[in-house]
Amino acid sequence: MAEDPARRRPTLDAVAELAGVSRSVASRVLNDAPHVSRSKREAVERAVRQLGYVPNPSARALATRQTGAAALVISGEEPSIFADPFFAQVIVGASGALEEADLHLMLCLAASDRGRKRVAELLRSKGADGVMMMALREDDPLARIAEEADLPVVFGGRPVGSTPRWYVDVDNTGGAREATEHLLSRGRSRVAAICGRLDTEAGRARYRGYRDAVLAAGLDPFPPREGDFTESGGAAVMAALLAEHPDVDGVFAASDNMGAGALRVLRQAGRQVPEDVAVVGFDDLAVARIADPPLTTVHQPIAALGREMARMLVALVDGQDPTPLILPTRLVVRSST
């Protein structure tokens, strides 16, 4: 029996595989879209000739709507975003993964109503092939905008109170729990927490990890105190803790920036670290390594967070249905404990 010719017709996936490129790159080459390198364009053209590929008309019409760009939307205040090395690493990771897929990165800051309107218009007009969203806070309008979007959206970190279909996150609760357990293992019994923003899932999850570890040790957790993930915020909370609880002997700071602020206040108060008060941070940023003393911290793979967000988005653009991803953390022990 003769084989059905339709079953032998080469596919776009076969073209992409033979050319050594992603499906979205192959599609853009076939539709003469911009933003494809010369070497990849030539590889796809060779694969088309070798396989005898003929584009499907309906698929070709859909592919012509591709823009060759992906947007990273960050909900936050502009000065703090550009000053925070966390977001710089996320951008580097995402940019590298998008470059591999020949997609350009668009950075959108949406701290104001005007910024959010621009993002909404970007989604409505399909000005990008897909969107990555980060730093969403509780009741952030961007979460609703993303739900209504007719574009693939990947979240970096889960929004408060919801679990989107596609997201990449880190094990915030597990990392905070390990950090607190480390302090307790050093014989500390009055361990306080300097929290990040509690209108973010990361802030809440890291406090949960701290609280779980303290309760498991049969101790009473300190109530949450917000330090806003900043050095000045960490310093302010540390000063208040010393004034109200002079017997505190351990501190879990939910970010390295806040941990650095706590170290500064302890030094000014004449407290020795770690002899009098042991301190652990979270992130493993450069500030942790150059702190005085160097800060024990929870390493989270920040660049990998951006990279995996971008890879997940590329998979969606290519018509796949990836599963959510939780990245692991690990404790890095330094002199502050």
Side-chain angles (χ1 to χ4, degrees), residues 124 232 247:
R124 281 194 296 267
S232 59
D247 59 343

Side-chain angles (χ1 to χ4, degrees), residues 33 39 41 321:
S39 61
R41 187 177 295 276
D321 186 13

Side-chain angles (χ1 to χ4, degrees), residues 17-303:
E17 182 177 2
L18 181 60
V21 301
S22 70
R23 190 178 191 276
S24 60
V25 169
S27 177
R28 290 201 297 279
V29 170
L30 292 172
N31 290 282
D32 199 27
H35 311 310
V36 181
S37 67
R38 181 177 178 179
S39 61
K40 290 183 179 180
R41 187 177 295 276
E42 291 174 348
V44 171
E45 291 170 348
R46 283 196 301 271
V48 167
R49 291 193 298 269
Q50 184 173 338
L51 295 173
Y53 174 77
V54 178
N56 178 284
S58 60
R60 185 180 182 91
L62 177 63
T64 57
R65 295 200 293 267
Q66 292 184 341
T67 67
L72 174 61
V73 178
I74 300 176
S75 180
E77 301 299 329
E78 294 188 24
S80 64
I81 292 299
F82 287 116
D84 193 334
F86 175 89
F87 288 106
Q89 292 188 42
V90 168
I91 291 169
V92 168
S95 179
L98 291 176
E99 185 177 346
E100 293 174 1
D102 274 349
L103 285 170
H104 284 264
L105 175 65
M106 301 168 55
L107 179 61
C108 304
L109 301 180
S112 64
D113 289 340
R114 183 178 180 182
R116 285 187 285 270
K117 287 180 181 178
R118 288 201 305 268
V119 172
E121 178 58 30
L122 173 73
L123 295 174
R124 281 194 296 267
S125 65
K126 296 187 178 181
D129 288 344
V131 177
M132 298 168 283
M133 287 198 172
M134 290 202 69
L136 296 193
R137 299 173 184 172
E138 189 174 18
D139 299 326
D140 195 317
L142 286 177
R144 175 185 53 79
I145 293 172
E147 290 176 359
E148 297 172 354
D150 190 22
L151 282 177
V153 178
V154 174
F155 288 85
R158 286 159 286 186
V160 174
S162 68
T163 302
R165 185 171 180 182
W166 298 294
Y167 65 86
V168 181
D169 207 348
V170 299
D171 185 9
N172 289 298
T173 301
R177 184 170 53 245
E178 184 179 14
T180 308
E181 289 171 346
H182 174 71
L183 288 167
L184 295 168
S185 74
R186 293 293 201 263
R188 311 298 162 146
S189 59
R190 295 284 292 163
V191 178
I194 301 177
C195 301
R197 294 187 64 105
L198 293 176
D199 60 355
T200 66
E201 180 57 28
R204 294 185 182 187
R206 292 176 194 180
Y207 181 74
R208 285 197 299 269
Y210 154 81
R211 182 195 60 201
D212 292 349
V214 172
L215 289 173
L219 301 172
D220 295 325
F222 281 61
R225 292 173 178 264
E226 288 191 56
D228 198 27
F229 290 121
T230 64
E231 194 273 349
S232 59
V237 173
M238 190 70 251
L241 284 169
L242 287 179
E244 299 173 25
H245 305 281
D247 59 343
V248 65
D249 60 4
V251 173
F252 164 62
S255 77
D256 289 341
N257 290 327
M258 295 191 299
L263 290 177
R264 173 166 61 84
V265 169
L266 288 168
R267 185 166 56 249
Q268 292 170 349
R271 301 295 183 94
Q272 298 296 311
V273 178
E275 292 81 2
D276 300 325
V277 184
V279 182
V280 179
F282 199 113
D283 287 332
D284 198 17
L285 299 175
V287 67
R289 296 189 291 274
I290 65 175
D292 182 21
L295 185 63
T296 293
T297 188
V298 176
H299 173 86
Q300 64 164 323
I302 303 172

